Amino acid sequence: MASKKPWRIIPRPLLETILNNHAQHHRVHQPLILHGPRGVGKTTLILERLLNNWNKGPHITGYVDFAQTIKAHNGPSFPWDSWSNSPPPNLSDCRKSLDQCLEAMAEKALRLGAITSRQIFTSLNKWHGLTGALRRVLHTPDYNKASPAVLWDRAVFAMLSQCNAEEINRVLGFGEKENSVLSVEEASYFKESVVALKLAKKVIEIQQGWRANAIAHMKRTGNFSRRLTHSSTDWPLLLLDLLSQAAEIDHFQPKLVINNIEVLKHAIENDEFSVSGPLYHDSLIWRIIALGANEQCLPVILVTSDSYYSYEAFLDFGYMEIFISRETFGWTPQEAKMHMVADYFSPSEWNVIAEVLGPNPRHLFELHALKQSNYLQKTTADRTSTFEDIVDAYLAYLQISVVNPALDRALEILQNFAIDVRNGKVSDDKLRFGAPWRHPPHVDDPKLRMEWAKIQLMDFVQCLVNADFGVNYRIEYSEEIFDDPSAVALLQVGLLYAQRDPPFFRPISRGIQRCLVRWLVQQRMQLRFPHLIRFLWHRIIRGRYYRHLMVQVDGKY
C-alpha cells in the first residue's frame, strides 16, 4: 500500500523557486519540462507570474505558444479540450512563430554586441558546409578555390551594400538615445553583424532548398533519414547556439519558454517538401537536448498538459534523466482553501466543492463565474437555488461540453484501431492472447465497429471504477495498460493523465472522474437487451481487470 496521499504534489512556492533557479542560470545542460493535467494553472498561475521577472534587467525571455492559432480558432470556450481533438495547426505557422521569437532575441543580442559576424560564421561552419551556398550567393563559379572564410567575408560585404539601411537601423535601434553616441567604426561593426545573421539565414534556406526533393522522396517512401529530418531545425538550432554562446551573467541572459509543445506532434505540413509535424517535434527536442549536453544551452522550459511528457518522452529521448522534470497538480485542498474560500466561497460551499470537484483551479474559477451569473436565477425562479444546484449545473456543463465530446472522439480512435487491426497494421505483441481488445470485427461494418468500440470503452471505464481509479502503471514493472487502446484513446483526448512520480494513471480531476462514471451509468442504461448481454459476456469472459495494479483504495485528490 502507498502512503495516504495518492501522489506527491510539489507545493507552488517550491515549484516557482525551482523554475526561478533554472531560469537564473545563463547556460544549463538540460531542458526543463513543466507538466501536469489541464486546469492546474501552469500558464495562468505560474508562468504569467514569473515571466515579468524573467524580462527585467539583463534577462530576456522568449515565449512561444504553439496552440495560439488553435485558441484563436476555438475561442475561450474550449479550455479543457485536448489539442489533439482540435483542428491541427499548420506546421509552417508553428515554425514561423518559433523562428520569429528566436530572431527577436537574436536582435536583442546584436544590439548588445553579444553576437558578432565571426561568431555566426564559426557556428554555421561547425554544422554546415558553406562553400556551395556562399558561391550561390556571390554567383561565383565553382572553380573559385577561395576558402569558406574568404567567401563569407565577401558575401557579408556584398549583402551589406544590398540590404535596406532602414531595416538594419531598426534592428540595431539606431536613433534611440542609448545608441546615438556610436562612432562610425562601432556602427559599421554592428551593421556587419546584422547582415551576417541575414546571410546565415539565406545560406540555410539555400541548403534546405537543395534537400527539398530528398525530403519529398523520404515522405513518399516512408523511410527515415536523421540528417534530412534535422535539416528542418537548422535555423532555430543555429539561433539557440548563438544565443547560448552570447549568454553572460548580468549582461545578457536569454531563456526560452515553449508552451503546448505537444501541438507540434499534431501539426500538419503544408507541402510535400516539409517534414511532418511529429518529425519536426522530435528533431527540435533532440537537438535542444544535444546542444545542452555537448556545449550547454540557454534555459529552455517546455510546458505541456500531455502526459506523454511525464514518462514516455524520457524513454523515447534516451533515459529517465534526459530532462529536468517538474510535475504540478495545482493547488492542494489547503492551498485552494487559502486562495479561494475566504473571498469567493463559504466554508460549507467549499466542503461541497472539495468532495465533488476537488481543488482544481479551473474548476473553481468556472464555478465561481457560474455562481455570479444570472443564468441560474432565471432557471430557478420558481424556487430557491442552492449551491448544490449550481454544482450540479456545472457538472452538467462539464458532461455535455467537455467529457461527452471527448469520449465521442475516443470512440473514433478505437474504431480506427479496429480498422488498423483488420488491415494488419497492429503488431502481434499488442494483440497477445487474452487481451480484451484482441478480437475487433473482421468485417468492414461501421455499425459493428461502433458497437465494439463502445463495449471496449465501457469495459475500460468500468475496470477503472472497480479499481477506484487507483491504478499504478509501473507496479511490479508492469506497463501493459499502455497497450490498451482504450487507455491510449482516453490519454489522447485529455481525460486521463499518466503522471510520473508516483506513476499513477488517473482522471485529470475529481470532477472529470465523476463525469466519466456518469457516462458509464448512462451508457449502461441505454443498452438494449442484446447489447447488454454482449457487454456482460465481455466483462465476464474478456473483461479488463486492473485491480492488481491498484495501490490505494478510496484515494482522494
Side-chain angles (χ1 to χ4, degrees), residues 199-210:
L199 175 59
K201 186 175 184 179
K202 189 171 183 177
V203 167
I204 289 179
E205 288 174 350
I206 291 173
Q207 294 180 343
Q208 288 177 340
W210 289 340

Side-chain angles (χ1 to χ4, degrees), residues 489-524:
L490 290 181
L491 286 174
Q492 289 182 3
V493 301
L495 294 181
L496 296 185
Y497 188 82
Q499 66 188 55
R500 183 182 181 190
D501 187 17
F504 269 66
F505 191 90
R506 51 94 166 183
I508 59 176
S509 74
R510 177 168 286 276
I512 298 298
Q513 174 183 318
R514 286 184 177 274
C515 290
L516 283 172
V517 176
R518 285 186 173 191
W519 176 85
L520 176 63
V521 173
Q522 183 182 23
Q523 294 300 317
R524 290 200 59 167

Side-chain angles (χ1 to χ4, degrees), residues 123-354:
S123 295
L124 194 61
N125 194 47
K126 179 172 56 177
W127 305 107
H128 306 273
L130 303 182
T131 305
L134 290 175
R135 285 173 180 165
R136 174 72 65 87
V137 172
L138 292 169
H139 306 288
T140 302
D142 292 342
Y143 57 78
N144 190 315
K145 300 301 182 181
S147 66
V150 173
L151 291 174
W152 174 265
D153 291 336
R154 292 178 184 174
V156 169
F157 285 114
M159 287 193 66
L160 189 58
S161 62
Q162 300 172 5
C163 285
N164 188 342
E166 293 182 0
E167 175 66 14
I168 295 177
N169 292 339
R170 181 198 63 79
V171 172
L172 295 175
F174 286 172
E176 299 177 5
K177 186 175 180 180
E178 63 271 20
N179 292 324
S180 60
V181 295
L182 292 178
S183 66
V184 175
E185 292 80 4
E186 290 173 327
S188 176
Y189 176 83
F190 281 106
K191 289 180 180 179
E192 182 182 339
S193 300
V194 174
V195 172
L197 191 63
K198 291 181 177 294
L199 175 59
K201 186 175 184 179
K202 189 171 183 177
V203 167
I204 289 179
E205 288 174 350
I206 291 173
Q207 294 180 343
Q208 288 177 340
W210 289 340
R211 299 186 181 101
N213 290 330
I215 291 175
H217 176 74
M218 179 181 72
K219 292 173 64 176
R220 285 194 302 268
T221 59
N223 296 327
F224 173 75
S225 168
R226 184 180 297 273
R227 187 177 184 85
L228 289 177
T229 301
H230 282 344
S231 68
S232 64
T233 55
D234 280 342
W235 179 236
L237 176 74
L238 176 65
L239 293 174
L240 282 171
D241 190 12
L242 291 171
L243 289 168
S244 301
Q245 293 180 42
E248 183 180 348
I249 295 178
D250 293 334
H251 177 65
F252 178 66
Q253 293 183 237
K255 47 199 67 58
L256 177 65
V257 177
I258 301 180
N259 200 1
N260 297 306
I261 182 67
E262 71 271 20
V263 171
L264 282 181
K265 295 194 298 182
H266 311 294
I268 55 176
E269 62 273 17
N270 302 43
D271 58 76
E272 61 177 333
F273 304 110
S274 172
V275 299
S276 64
L279 286 181
Y280 183 86
H281 165 272
D282 291 351
S283 175
L284 178 65
I285 295 182
W286 181 255
R287 299 191 83 178
I288 290 174
I289 293 171
L291 182 61
N294 295 329
E295 302 182 29
Q296 291 192 323
C297 180
L298 60 86
V300 177
I301 299 176
L302 308 175
V303 185
T304 178
S305 299
D306 192 332
S307 60
Y308 164 80
Y309 300 88
S310 68
Y311 176 68
E312 292 180 83
F314 294 80
L315 303 182
D316 288 348
F317 286 98
Y319 54 96
M320 292 300 291
E321 304 303 327
I322 196 73
F323 304 103
I324 300 175
S325 172
R326 290 298 175 261
E327 195 165 33
T328 177
F329 302 104
W331 287 327
T332 63
Q334 293 77 13
E335 288 175 329
K337 185 175 182 180
M338 178 181 67
H339 286 290
M340 296 292 292
V341 170
D343 297 328
Y344 303 105
F345 301 106
S346 67
S348 61
E349 291 174 343
W350 168 245
N351 291 334
V352 175
I353 294 172

